[in-house]
Amino acid sequence: MTELRNRGGGDRDAENISDKDTDGEDRFGLGGEGDRDSKPDTDTPEVQPSVDNTPKCLNKALAGMSSRWKNWWIRGILTLTMISGFFLIIYMGPLPLMLMVLAIQIKCFQEIITIGYRVYHSYELPWFRTLSWYFLLCVNYFFYGETVAENFGNLVQRDEPLQFLVRYHRFISFALYLSGFCMFVLSLVKKHYRLQFYMFAWTHVTLLIVVSQSHLVIQNLFEGLIWFIVPISTVICNDITAYICGFFFGRTPLIKLSPKKTWEGFIGGFFSTVVFGFIFAYLLAQYNYFVCPVEYSESNSFLINCEPSDLFVLQDYTLPSVLQTVLRWKTVKIYPFQIHSIALSTFASLIGPFGGFFASGFKRAFKIKDFADTIPGHGGIMDRFDCQYLVATFVHVYLTSFIRGPNPSKVLQQLLVLQPEQQLSIFNTLKSHLTETGMIPPAIRGP
Amino acid sequence: MTELRHRGPTEKDLLQQQQESESEVRTDGEAPSDSEIKPDPGVPPTVDDTPEVLSKALSGMSSRWKNWWVRGILTLAMISFFFIIIYLGPMVLMMIVSALRGQAKHNLKFRVSCFRDHHDSLPPILYHLPWFRTLSWYFLLCVNYFFYGETVTDYFSALVQREEPLRILSKYHRFISFTLYLTGFCMFVLSLVKKHYRLQFYMFGWTHVTLLIVVTQSHLIIHNLFEGMIWFIVPISCVICNDIMAYMFGFFFGRTPLIKLSPKKTWEGFIGGFFATVVFGLLLSYVMAGWRYFVCPVEFNNDSNRFEVDCEPSDLFQLQDYTLPSVLQSLIGWETVRIYPFQIHSVALSAFASLMGPFGGFFASGFKRAFKIKDFANTIPGHGGIMDRFDCQYLMATFVNVYIGSFIRGPNPSRVMQQLLALRLDQQLHIFNTLRAHLIEKGLLSAIEEAA
């Protein structure tokens, strides 16, 4: 949400300076697109008509106020709308959530690719749009296939064609990707080699950033809705509280890249986010709906029902003596998950802004004000999700390193595919292990 | 190996002209990079002297044949070197692959940056902002650390379990790798300088794409190697053979151009190369499948702390009788033929190498034309840089890996065991019971023994 600060007022100086300074870089042979970039709106298609109307209604309603407060109100109302929409979809269930993530991913991809087209004037080569979307499709097919194979084991076992697709999934995905690669090579046109290679690289980097992140988000979701909601909420909270703290107390600039950010906002946001995360985790950890892993049952629906794991069971913790004297409590009952939430909030507050700086730098590098114009007052979808880049990966890595073990059904699948001798040896090792730990009574077991 | 064809029968054929143009390109502000490229870890130092020695020896011949001989001799030198390394063993192979990867990335990056300096008359910004070199190498280090860590965890599990620090590194491996990458990312953001945003983002994107292409491929190669050296040697040999055969067929019979991108390629060369490579693949796999050294998976022996290549060859590498289809029966007059099943797979590998490998070459040609460079670097005289030699191998490694994963190999048993032991006890019990039922069904376990 860097634009929240950049466009508050008086940032036009920053924009002008960056325009002048980056003129020297035009000698890359990319031509003078400085003029054309100043009007990004005319080039982006598909702005939904309903979103366009809202500002007019709001404009009428807020006609009396000064422009600064009007801007603040528009952004505030849209923020609330988006947050309510988010909670509504959470209420509706995992499948709408997955679809929402997919929709956001596609829109982000489209926004970034459109910027690439504008920068490189590659509209005249229609293959590229086809190819970029084709690569998006391939990578999505690959990732969704892996997700289906892992989490929808029941469904897959039943259907014969699905089983075939799952068994040879990597091969099929690779073959699809190869076709795209060959189409690219065959589409190379004499005068536009460099442009085509730029777009190829641009597409791949975008896929790497956008699509892999969104799939990690979905993997987190399957672990339990709370692993999806809490990280995203802490990033949003960090944005908002850093803005508010900066607004009221901001004095020392934080980084040359975003002149509107301040150290006070940064630190204030950090503490507020940790507290928010702590409290929010406490609220959510009580409900099975959020805490249980998402499973796909035989009745063709998502099941979220389980015995909550130890993470989500209230436990007593003895406070360190310092806090004991301050709060006059000896022990406190909290969920272990809340301790993890501190780690998540810390990451969101400290590293999340780097994602925002990255996006700011990107926009300045290519002299655009926003990624697109989808949300009035906020810019494009990417503008809203720029701080989320690394958080999804972090949560996934955190989950696999510290929380979750391997997926039991996946391990079973792998076991059943092994050679019989290997299965036997694993069986024996497992038997001795389980007997040791006392899970199996050591009955008469001969050699 | 596209340059093999480009510089064969062309006007700029004279070896002296070639050397002159190379030195021209070298002195135009690229001397610093070339001096850095010279100390190659992977290429023996004597290669640089060879052209002069050869020139003297071949001074009598016409320039066309001289060029042919230089390239031929260097090709043979490289191939012999390749086989020596194979003989030395897997460990050395892995080190060579890493060195080549580092070199390839080095070449790629510097060539483009030097190109920019030369052709766009920009001040050599990249040399003023030393962060870029540091960052690129740092990212290379991070990605390598991640991949090698995964390999070590998979294949050296017993060694890892023994050493305490290794075990911690392995358990939290992904987290550590991610932290390292994040540090690089933050350094990048902090290093953004006002006037050079776009350049910096380009280099960031460039680094990542290069890492994606080069580093992942080389790790897949190493995975293939662990499966058995034959899965490493046969694909690479097929690609090399396809290059050479297509060149020869094109040289002798070439008439119809193949693709606008590489005007010297011909359909005759393409098709001739295809058939020649398939036959070559069949023969080479027949020869290699007889030796355990090539066929067995590479394992790390915990007791002797060395790599071991010793096993009972799997069914793929046992001679079997196949009934020929009646068409071939009447042709050759044999009813059955004894071949290794692996040879059938080798047909698939050769077919891929002949049909898709050239696309990697076209990709590299297009890349060189896009950025107006003749070669990726000047590392190997007569052949250009390391990347020039490996451009057709790009997709081959991935294909072999995917092929093995889909059709040949099951999951790695020790890895499955590790995952099993990491599960919760009740989950382990559940899997234990399922496995027991499955094994009893299959008759591997007698029901009486287990009914306790």
Side-chain angles (χ1 to χ4, degrees):
Chain A
M1 272 166 99
T2 54
E3 290 314 320
L4 197 67
R5 298 165 193 81
N6 279 349
R7 273 181 288 154
D11 68 322
R12 291 206 202 92
D13 304 334
E15 292 293 300
N16 286 339
I17 292 171
S18 66
D19 274 339
K20 265 188 267 177
D21 286 346
T22 50
D23 269 347
E25 293 177 27
D26 275 350
R27 279 180 286 146
F28 275 120
L30 294 172
E33 64 260 329
D35 301 324
R36 281 185 243 193
D37 276 358
S38 59
K39 285 204 175 32
D41 314 356
T42 54
D43 281 281
T44 44
E46 322 157 34
V47 177
Q48 294 127 20
S50 55
V51 176
D52 265 327
N53 290 340
T54 321
K56 289 188 198 146
C57 305
L58 285 179
N59 278 339
K60 285 190 208 140
L62 307 168
M65 301 188 196
S66 76
S67 65
R68 186 176 182 197
W69 286 107
K70 193 178 356 181
N71 195 30
W72 206 94
W73 271 108
I74 293 181
R75 298 171 78 80
I77 289 175
L78 275 160
T79 307
L80 283 175
T81 315
M82 289 193 290
I83 292 180
S84 333
F86 181 49
F87 280 113
L88 187 68
I89 297 185
I90 291 176
Y91 178 73
M92 279 165 46
L95 190 60
L97 268 173
M98 281 172 66
L99 290 176
M100 177 186 86
V101 172
L102 180 65
I104 290 176
Q105 172 213 104
I106 292 178
K107 191 75 181 74
C108 288
F109 183 78
Q110 189 243 334
E111 283 176 11
I112 299 183
I113 294 288
T114 311
I115 293 175
Y117 292 148
R118 277 211 317 268
V119 171
Y120 298 115
H121 306 300
S122 44
Y123 279 128
E124 315 86 66
L125 296 160
W127 267 115
F128 299 134
R129 281 198 240 198
T130 318
L131 272 175
S132 303
W133 288 106
Y134 180 79
F135 280 125
L136 177 69
L137 200 77
C138 286
V139 180
N140 266 331
Y141 174 77
F142 172 68
F143 278 124
Y144 272 110
E146 299 266 310
T147 308
V148 164
E150 255 190 61
N151 295 307
F152 291 67
N154 299 325
L155 177 65
V156 168
Q157 296 299 331
R158 270 178 296 170
D159 270 318
E160 192 54 41
L162 273 185
Q163 249 188 3
F164 176 78
L165 280 181
V166 164
R167 187 154 154 66
Y168 299 109
H169 178 249
R170 292 205 171 177
F171 195 73
I172 296 172
S173 312
F174 184 63
L176 287 176
Y177 176 81
L178 268 191
S179 322
F181 184 82
C182 295
M183 286 200 299
F184 170 72
V185 172
L186 292 172
S187 75
L188 288 172
V189 175
K190 199 166 180 134
K191 294 203 190 172
H192 304 290
Y193 287 148
R194 198 192 298 198
L195 210 59
Q196 295 177 282
F197 272 95
Y198 277 156
M199 286 314 295
F200 186 77
W202 191 285
T203 307
H204 279 69
V205 176
T206 312
L207 284 173
L208 196 73
I209 294 180
V210 173
V211 179
S212 56
Q213 298 281 323
S214 78
H215 277 275
L216 292 176
V217 167
I218 291 185
Q219 299 274 42
N220 297 345
L221 196 150
F222 271 100
E223 195 59 29
L225 283 175
I226 200 172
W227 292 104
F228 171 78
I229 299 174
V230 168
I232 293 185
S233 312
T234 44
V235 172
I236 297 175
C237 167
N238 183 59
D239 273 344
I240 297 176
T241 49
Y243 176 71
I244 292 178
C245 291
F247 190 75
F248 288 120
F249 311 117
R251 206 147 295 139
T252 337
L254 179 62
I255 189 174
K256 280 194 303 276
L257 192 52
S258 296
K260 294 289 166 201
K261 303 246 177 142
T262 58
W263 274 102
E264 290 84 5
F266 186 68
I267 296 177
F270 170 68
F271 284 112
S272 329
T273 308
V274 169
V275 170
F276 168 80
F278 200 74
I279 298 176
F280 195 53
Y282 179 79
L283 289 175
L284 287 185
Q286 298 164 358
Y287 296 94
N288 268 7
Y289 181 66
F290 295 122
V291 151
C292 292
V294 175
E295 274 154 33
Y296 191 76
S297 71
E298 271 116 29
S299 54
N300 275 0
S301 63
F302 286 100
L303 253 190
I304 307 183
N305 207 347
C306 66
E307 199 57 43
S309 80
D310 289 338
L311 267 188
F312 302 104
V313 173
L314 276 171
Q315 285 179 18
D316 284 320
Y317 284 86
T318 325
L319 287 176
S321 40
V322 177
L323 284 177
Q324 273 190 18
T325 42
V326 167
L327 293 169
R328 269 182 280 123
W329 288 333
K330 280 228 178 112
T331 64
V332 65
K333 283 176 83 75
I334 59 170
Y335 295 99
F337 177 73
Q338 292 181 266
I339 302 176
H340 292 295
S341 82
I342 296 181
L344 298 180
S345 319
T346 312
F347 185 85
S349 323
L350 296 180
I351 307 289
F354 276 93
F357 299 150
F358 187 81
S360 290
F362 182 84
K363 282 184 281 198
R364 275 166 206 252
F366 297 100
K367 288 183 272 181
I368 52 179
K369 200 156 74 124
D370 281 325
F371 279 96
D373 224 33
T374 319
I375 313 176
H378 286 267
I381 300 271
M382 270 310 276
D383 288 297
R384 291 280 60 76
F385 286 89
D386 53 16
C387 298
Q388 306 267 4
Y389 283 173
L390 304 164
V391 177
T393 319
F394 175 76
V395 174
H396 184 82
V397 171
Y398 191 86
L399 267 177
T400 47
S401 300
F402 298 114
I403 314 279
R404 175 182 73 172
N407 189 358
S409 52
K410 191 177 194 189
V411 177
L412 191 57
Q413 269 182 28
Q414 289 182 330
L415 257 184
L416 295 173
V417 176
L418 285 174
Q419 305 282 349
E421 314 84 59
Q422 296 167 323
Q423 286 179 351
L424 253 181
S425 88
I426 288 186
F427 177 76
N428 289 327
T429 319
L430 188 59
K431 185 165 74 173
S432 57
H433 176 78
L434 284 175
T435 318
E436 261 179 50
T437 52
M439 295 297 288
I440 308 179
I444 313 157
R445 299 207 174 276
Chain B
M1 269 166 106
T2 55
E3 293 311 299
L4 197 65
R5 295 170 195 78
H6 281 171
R7 274 181 284 157
T10 59
E11 316 84 69
K12 290 198 179 125
D13 212 11
L14 296 170
L15 197 58
Q16 282 98 353
Q17 268 192 16
Q18 205 174 16
Q19 279 183 334
E20 270 168 21
S21 60
E22 279 175 7
S23 56
E24 248 176 42
V25 166
R26 240 185 304 208
T27 52
D28 278 346
E30 289 160 3
S33 69
D34 264 10
S35 59
E36 290 176 62
I37 290 174
K38 282 281 192 293
D40 275 4
V43 179
T46 50
V47 175
D48 263 327
D49 295 345
T50 320
E52 288 158 30
V53 174
L54 281 180
S55 311
K56 285 191 207 138
L58 305 168
S59 50
M61 301 188 195
S62 77
S63 63
R64 187 178 181 194
W65 285 106
K66 199 182 345 185
N67 193 33
W68 205 93
W69 271 108
V70 170
R71 297 171 78 78
I73 289 174
L74 275 161
T75 308
L76 282 175
M78 286 195 290
I79 292 181
S80 335
F81 183 66
F82 179 50
F83 279 110
I84 292 175
I85 299 289
I86 290 176
Y87 177 72
L88 287 176
M91 187 71 151
V92 180
L93 263 172
M94 276 174 65
M95 292 192 325
I96 297 280
V97 172
S98 323
L100 283 177
R101 176 181 48 236
Q103 190 61 34
K105 196 168 163 342
H106 199 238
N107 290 353
L108 200 56
K109 204 163 49 66
F110 273 93
R111 199 71 203 187
V112 175
S113 60
C114 296
F115 158 70
R116 288 202 174 166
D117 294 344
H118 177 62
H119 287 262
D120 290 346
S121 313
L122 277 174
I125 293 169
L126 291 172
Y127 296 110
H128 288 183
L129 292 163
W131 273 117
F132 293 147
R133 282 194 244 187
T134 318
L135 272 175
S136 299
W137 285 108
Y138 180 81
F139 280 126
L140 177 68
L141 200 78
C142 286
V143 180
N144 267 334
Y145 175 78
F146 172 69
F147 277 123
Y148 272 113
E150 299 268 309
T151 308
V152 163
T153 313
D154 273 352
Y155 292 103
F156 293 70
S157 49
L159 172 67
V160 167
Q161 294 301 327
R162 262 189 310 184
E163 310 279 334
E164 186 60 32
L166 275 187
R167 219 182 40 187
I168 295 183
L169 277 183
S170 144
K171 187 153 147 58
Y172 299 110
H173 178 250
R174 290 198 175 185
F175 193 72
I176 296 171
S177 314
F178 183 62
T179 314
L180 288 176
Y181 176 80
L182 265 191
T183 318
F185 183 83
C186 295
M187 287 200 303
F188 170 73
V189 172
L190 291 172
S191 77
L192 288 173
V193 175
K194 201 163 182 149
K195 290 192 200 193
H196 307 298
Y197 288 148
R198 199 186 291 208
L199 195 61
Q200 292 175 284
F201 272 95
Y202 279 157
M203 289 311 292
F204 187 78
W206 194 279
T207 305
H208 280 69
V209 175
T210 310
L211 283 174
L212 195 72
I213 294 179
V214 176
V215 179
T216 46
Q217 300 285 326
S218 70
H219 273 275
L220 293 176
I221 290 181
I222 291 182
H223 268 274
N224 297 344
L225 195 146
F226 271 101
E227 199 57 31
M229 304 233 295
I230 199 173
W231 291 104
F232 170 77
I233 298 172
V234 167
I236 292 184
S237 313
C238 286
V239 174
I240 295 174
C241 167
N242 182 59
D243 274 344
I244 298 175
M245 291 295 153
Y247 176 74
M248 287 189 169
F249 276 91
F251 192 75
F252 289 118
F253 309 115
R255 207 147 293 141
T256 336
L258 180 62
I259 190 174
K260 280 197 299 281
L261 191 52
S262 293
K264 295 290 165 202
K265 304 250 175 132
T266 59
W267 275 102
E268 289 83 6
F270 187 68
I271 296 177
F274 171 72
F275 285 109
T277 308
V278 170
V279 171
F280 170 80
L282 279 172
L283 291 173
L284 183 71
S285 21
Y286 181 77
V287 167
M288 287 206 152
W291 301 88
R292 267 191 209 175
Y293 184 66
F294 297 123
V295 152
C296 291
V298 175
E299 273 157 33
F300 187 73
N301 191 338
N302 313 309
D303 305 318
S304 58
N305 272 0
R306 266 184 316 121
F307 284 101
E308 244 182 22
V309 192
D310 199 15
C311 68
E312 201 55 43
S314 79
D315 288 339
L316 266 188
F317 302 104
Q318 309 265 14
L319 277 172
Q320 286 179 15
D321 284 320
Y322 283 88
T323 325
L324 287 176
S326 40
V327 178
L328 284 175
Q329 271 188 19
S330 40
L331 263 183
I332 310 180
W334 289 337
E335 272 190 24
T336 64
V337 65
R338 286 178 73 85
I339 58 171
Y340 296 97
F342 177 74
Q343 291 182 269
I344 301 176
H345 292 295
S346 82
V347 171
L349 297 180
S350 319
F352 184 85
S354 323
L355 298 178
M356 286 295 149
F359 275 95
F362 299 149
F363 186 80
S365 291
F367 184 85
K368 282 184 280 199
R369 276 166 204 251
F371 298 100
K372 291 184 240 168
I373 53 179
K374 201 157 74 126
D375 281 325
F376 280 100
N378 276 325
T379 320
I380 314 177
H383 287 268
I386 301 269
M387 283 297 277
D388 287 299
R389 291 281 64 78
F390 286 89
D391 54 14
C392 297
Q393 306 268 3
Y394 286 172
L395 305 163
M396 191 72 205
T398 319
F399 175 76
V400 174
N401 193 280
V402 172
Y403 191 86
I404 295 179
S406 301
F407 299 113
I408 314 279
R409 174 187 68 175
N412 188 2
S414 57
R415 192 175 196 192
V416 176
M417 195 68 228
Q418 270 181 30
Q419 290 182 330
L420 257 183
L421 293 173
L423 285 174
R424 286 203 312 263
L425 282 174
D426 54 323
Q427 291 168 325
Q428 286 183 16
L429 194 60
H430 171 71
I431 289 186
F432 175 77
N433 289 328
T434 317
L435 185 61
R436 183 170 70 178
H438 176 81
L439 285 174
I440 291 179
E441 250 184 72
K442 291 229 158 165
L444 287 164
L445 273 178
S446 72
I448 309 167
E449 214 180 85
E450 294 305 316

